[in-house]
Amino acid sequence: SFEHLSHSERDSGYGETKGTADKEDALSHTDDSDISERHRQIQVRIVELLHQIERSVSEGTALTIRRKPRWDTCTIANGILQMTDPSHEGRTIKPVNTRRLQLMVKILATIYQLLATGTSCTKRELYYLHLELAQTPAFTYAVLDDITALLDADTWEMNVFNTSKGLIAGPMVLTLSDGQTIDCRINRWGTPVPLDVSSVIELQLTAKLVLVVEKDTVFKRLLEDGIFDKFPDTLVLITAKGYPDVSTRLLLKKISDWSKAPIYALMDADPHGIEIFCVYKFGSLAMVHQQRSLAVPSMRWIGLFPSDIELLGLQGVPLRDRELKRIEQMIKRPYTEGHIQRELLLLRQLATKAEIESLYNIASDFITTVYLKGKFKECLKSCSVSL
């Protein structure tokens, strides 16, 4: 019985420009009443879904869930990755899948309680809350994916968050809905990205640009090298320590929407680095239904390019077979055209990759005093901002 859940609870090219000159540097966009209304809508849908599951079990009918995306069913529209057929009909969950349905009911009840009490949890905590039914984290996350599809809601809208691993450094201050402020200039080695980015209601950014670096090691090395002293009031530095987590992507999306500061990416010249940039810019296949909240189509890739390997005489490392195979797969993706396509084809031809750190082999300060300085000047010139 679900009576306790009452209805009364309420192109990636270097020369791309970013037309956002009409935006302010310090803006407050999130209205608590909008979030509360969204939470009430989800609660109503949860109750409806629980009754739908009850009917499915009693009548022996299957639940229908939208099909999982594939690269050949996606396209680039409005600069982001989207399904060509957004139909909700595809997979089914049959009543004989007892454990899956039982776990779904338990998780739905937990989500309802989180929304009703204004609390939150991580996906990992959700697994431990229902350990006996879940048995494995992967099974829990798969059921949660089914729930997001059936409710047509994002996990962060349901107060369920991925663990945040991103770091920020530089002249940016975030104000949260509880009145707390996060000054990203204070911590020497970076400030953690908030777990619940939806709680950020104001963003003050005085830098001229945002630089996203692929790895934590490069992030720390740039801080050690005094990048903020070399480029005062110029940049905010962000890393997700590799493949980007949802919280870091949500924050970058807010920066893109709320600020006029252009966003640039510094990645390794290898298939993994290029793919990470594409996830930031276009979105990921796994989260194609959430791209409007996550993708940053205005983001620009400024290096490290495969073409830099020959141009700068960098010492590369031979690509492994699986990396060459990944290049072949990436070439066929909807977003692979123009500059990205040329660099991927060159990477395949060279059969050699290079990390950002290889720039330090030229000179210990080459990356800041030469490479990034030149990139920043060219980028900011295109935005009519002086360095």
Side-chain angles (χ1 to χ4, degrees):
S1 173
F2 314 119
E3 302 306 322
H4 62 290
L5 300 179
S6 168
H7 282 276
S8 63
E9 292 274 352
R10 307 277 306 194
D11 183 324
S12 49
Y14 193 37
E16 187 177 339
T17 58
K18 178 179 168 76
T20 55
D22 58 332
K23 295 181 182 178
E24 298 294 333
D25 283 334
L27 292 176
S28 175
H29 288 250
T30 305
D31 190 328
D32 284 343
S33 63
D34 291 340
I35 295 174
S36 297
E37 178 57 32
R38 179 59 176 155
H39 285 175
R40 283 192 289 271
Q41 291 172 358
I42 294 172
Q43 284 177 292
V44 170
R45 291 183 186 179
I46 287 173
V47 175
E48 293 172 349
L49 178 55
L50 287 169
H51 285 298
Q52 189 179 347
I53 293 171
E54 191 173 39
R55 288 194 300 272
S56 171
V57 173
S58 61
E59 298 172 10
T61 56
L63 291 175
T64 302
I65 303 178
R66 65 190 176 202
R67 62 176 62 91
K68 290 185 177 180
R70 304 188 312 271
W71 286 112
D72 60 358
T73 61
C74 292
T75 187
I76 296 295
N78 300 318
I80 63 176
L81 191 68
Q82 296 185 30
M83 289 278 288
T84 53
D85 177 14
S87 170
H88 280 60
E89 294 187 4
R91 299 176 293 130
T92 58
I93 300 178
K94 298 178 180 178
V96 292
N97 296 328
T98 308
R99 186 163 68 93
R100 196 178 195 92
L101 288 173
Q102 286 177 335
L103 182 57
M104 187 178 290
V105 169
K106 291 282 189 181
I107 292 176
L108 284 167
T110 299
I111 292 170
Y112 190 98
Q113 186 176 19
L114 292 175
L115 297 176
T117 58
T119 54
S120 63
C121 73
T122 64
K123 291 172 66 174
R124 189 77 178 178
E125 287 170 335
L126 203 61
Y127 158 63
Y128 283 112
L129 281 172
H130 308 295
L131 194 58
E132 186 175 338
L133 270 176
Q135 296 182 8
T136 67
F139 186 64
T140 306
Y141 305 156
V143 172
L144 184 60
D145 286 343
D146 290 341
I147 288 172
T148 59
L150 288 164
L151 295 178
D152 194 21
D154 300 321
T155 52
W156 56 89
E157 292 181 308
M158 299 185 288
N159 286 6
V160 177
F161 304 104
N162 291 72
T163 302
S164 175
K165 57 178 182 165
L167 294 172
I168 328 162
M172 184 167 70
V173 178
L174 307 176
T175 302
L176 308 185
S177 55
D178 62 3
Q180 178 187 355
T181 59
I182 300 174
D183 190 337
C184 303
R185 296 167 295 189
I186 293 176
N187 293 335
R188 182 186 175 190
W189 301 116
T191 299
V193 171
L195 186 65
D196 179 9
V197 175
S198 63
S199 68
V200 176
I201 59 170
E202 186 177 317
L203 183 151
Q204 294 176 308
L205 192 155
T206 56
K208 297 171 185 174
L209 61 88
V210 175
L211 179 64
V212 180
V213 296
E214 177 183 344
K215 296 178 297 190
D216 184 35
T217 52
V218 175
F219 180 87
K220 289 180 178 177
R221 179 64 186 267
L222 290 175
L223 293 178
E224 285 178 353
D225 291 346
I227 192 168
F228 295 123
D229 295 328
K230 291 181 173 69
F231 304 103
D233 302 316
T234 298
L235 73 151
V236 163
L237 199 61
I238 296 179
T239 184
K241 302 179 183 178
Y243 195 90
D245 58 284
V246 169
S247 294
T248 304
R249 292 177 64 191
L250 283 169
L251 180 62
L252 279 171
K253 177 64 173 173
K254 281 201 171 184
I255 292 172
S256 174
D257 289 345
W258 295 8
S259 168
K260 65 184 180 184
I263 301 174
Y264 301 105
L266 182 65
M267 306 284 155
D268 286 339
D270 64 13
H272 189 64
I274 298 173
E275 185 167 38
I276 286 175
F277 164 70
C278 291
V279 168
Y280 279 120
K281 182 177 178 70
F282 305 108
S284 65
L285 181 65
M287 302 190 72
V288 70
H289 297 288
Q290 289 91 17
Q291 305 305 24
R292 294 185 186 280
S293 301
L294 297 170
V296 183
S298 62
M299 190 176 191
R300 292 164 54 190
W301 180 27
I302 61 168
L304 187 67
F305 300 135
S307 53
D308 288 333
I309 298 175
E310 286 188 320
L311 182 66
L312 300 174
L314 301 178
Q315 185 174 2
V317 176
L319 290 169
R320 290 169 288 189
D321 288 343
R322 68 171 179 268
E323 292 173 318
L324 290 167
K325 185 177 180 181
R326 176 58 60 89
I327 293 174
E328 296 300 329
Q329 295 170 343
M330 292 175 66
I331 287 171
K332 299 173 185 176
R333 293 178 184 175
Y335 50 64
T336 305
E337 58 182 13
H339 184 236
I340 292 177
Q341 184 180 56
R342 291 191 297 272
E343 293 292 342
L344 274 172
L345 291 173
L346 178 59
L347 187 63
R348 182 179 65 179
Q349 178 184 330
L350 295 172
T352 301
K353 62 183 179 180
E355 295 184 324
I356 299 163
E357 292 92 329
S358 63
L359 293 171
Y360 291 114
N361 295 331
I362 300 174
S364 61
D365 62 349
F366 181 83
I367 191 168
T368 50
T369 60
V370 179
Y371 192 81
L372 285 179
K373 186 175 182 179
K375 298 286 185 180
F376 291 165
K377 280 189 174 180
E378 187 167 349
C379 292
L380 295 175
K381 182 180 178 181
S382 69
C383 299
S384 301
V385 179
S386 60
L387 183 58

